[in-house]
Amino acid sequence: MTSAATLSAGELAALLHFYADAGVDALLEPEAVDRFAEFEAMRASRQAAVRSAPRAETTASEAATPARNAGNRQPPAPRAAAAPPPAIPDDQAVAQARFAAESAGTLEELRSALTTFTGCNLKNSARSTVFASGEATSGLMVIGPMPNADDDREGLPFSGRAGQMLDRMLGAIGLSRETVLLTNILPWRPPGNRMPSQPEMDICRPFIERQIALAAPKSVLILGNFTARFFFGTGETIHALRGEWREISAGDRVLPALATLHPVDLMAAPINKRLAWTDLLAFKAGRGQSSA
């Protein structure tokens, strides 16, 4: 067990961030507790109490009373089973999502639609609905996969260390988070950062496609393996999909998009920064142009 007394302020902050990313959201006792030993002690105590308790003697009249009344006693009514929580079939949830998304005429209306939408179970476990941020009229859109723990806490896309890395990536080509529109495919963080299921992706798809259509960017920067597969409809890895202009569809719009590595990929393997730098230069030189 790591003792907080031996850690510096920076080390303690890093440790807490690690615990939060791992899904830990509550602090327990300062010392480890052997719950198995506690259970065994409690069970032994109960057994000893049962053995030492005097057994009540039943008189003949007391024993006869239940027998006399047995014929008049009605059997207990069966207890009603607890009603299961209401669930929306996946196809109905997708239809509701499509209707809600298409009904939005502006990005603010789309934000409100997402806030009130209840057809995706990801929303039940997430703290925040993470919507787009930045400049919607810039003509540039940056799309990642899904909110992480920092995004979920702050309610903003690309928060925390991943956001700081993205800031440096954008700054290298003269951009910033204030001069582009930042968003994610999913507006809700999956529990424990797990991969979303296919139904969850299908339910969220109308919202991100409508978001792209309303923002009407001239070009899109796609971050990471999951995002590239989602839009390009292929099972290839980001290393096979990066650095090449392709087209994506959103409603009746067809837009040029360039994929590159996610900031988390660069933090995990800094050697990939050279690949991302090449992609960013291509994005800077070819904004609004597609080689397709």
Side-chain angles (χ1 to χ4, degrees), residues 2 10 16 67 69 75 97 180 184 193 198 217 222 269 274 287 291:
T2 303
L16 291 175
N69 296 335
V180 301
N184 287 302
N193 291 339
Q198 187 61 51
I222 290 175
R274 58 187 178 85
R287 295 172 194 164
S291 59

Side-chain angles (χ1 to χ4, degrees), residues 64-265:
T65 300
R68 287 196 301 268
N69 296 335
N72 301 325
R73 186 179 300 154
Q74 295 296 326
R79 183 173 298 177
I88 303 175
D90 294 335
D91 56 344
Q92 292 185 24
V94 172
Q96 290 182 10
R98 188 177 297 114
F99 177 80
E102 292 175 354
S103 299
T106 65
L107 287 174
E108 279 305 311
E109 290 179 3
L110 186 62
R111 182 198 297 269
S112 298
L114 271 171
T115 302
T116 58
F117 184 73
T118 58
C120 184
N121 65 337
L122 292 177
K123 188 175 184 179
N124 298 329
S125 59
R127 296 183 182 180
S128 306
T129 296
V130 182
F131 195 67
S133 70
E135 181 51 64
T137 62
S138 65
L140 301 175
M141 197 168 187
V142 179
I143 306 178
M146 64 200 76
N148 60 23
D150 293 312
D151 302 344
D152 195 32
R153 281 191 296 270
E154 300 296 330
L156 294 171
F158 296 99
S159 302
R161 294 179 60 212
Q164 294 171 5
M165 176 62 75
L166 179 62
D167 289 341
R168 292 194 289 271
M169 293 169 66
L170 295 174
I173 55 173
L175 299 174
S176 69
R177 65 172 56 234
E178 290 79 23
T179 58
V180 301
L181 187 65
L182 298 180
T183 192
N184 287 302
I185 292 173
L186 305 183
W188 304 291
R189 179 199 181 203
N193 291 339
R194 66 164 172 80
M195 292 297 293
S197 66
Q198 187 61 51
E200 290 166 347
M201 290 188 286
D202 293 340
I203 293 169
C204 292
R205 182 180 287 274
F207 291 110
I208 184 60
E209 290 185 349
R210 185 60 175 162
Q211 193 175 148
I212 296 171
L214 291 173
K218 295 179 180 178
S219 55
V220 179
L221 183 64
I222 290 175
L223 301 178
N225 197 60
F226 175 86
T227 317
R229 289 179 173 180
F230 181 89
F231 283 111
F232 298 154
T234 176
E236 294 181 278
T237 68
I238 186 62
H239 288 278
L241 298 172
R242 52 157 289 273
E244 179 181 348
W245 284 99
R246 301 168 186 259
E247 290 183 341
I248 62 173
S249 299
D252 58 353
R253 295 180 179 274
V254 178
L255 308 166
L258 185 77
T260 190
L261 290 97
H262 193 278
V264 172
D265 299 331

Side-chain angles (χ1 to χ4, degrees), residues 52-67:
S52 62
R55 300 184 64 180
E57 295 183 359
T58 303
T59 65
S61 60
E62 291 172 339
T65 300

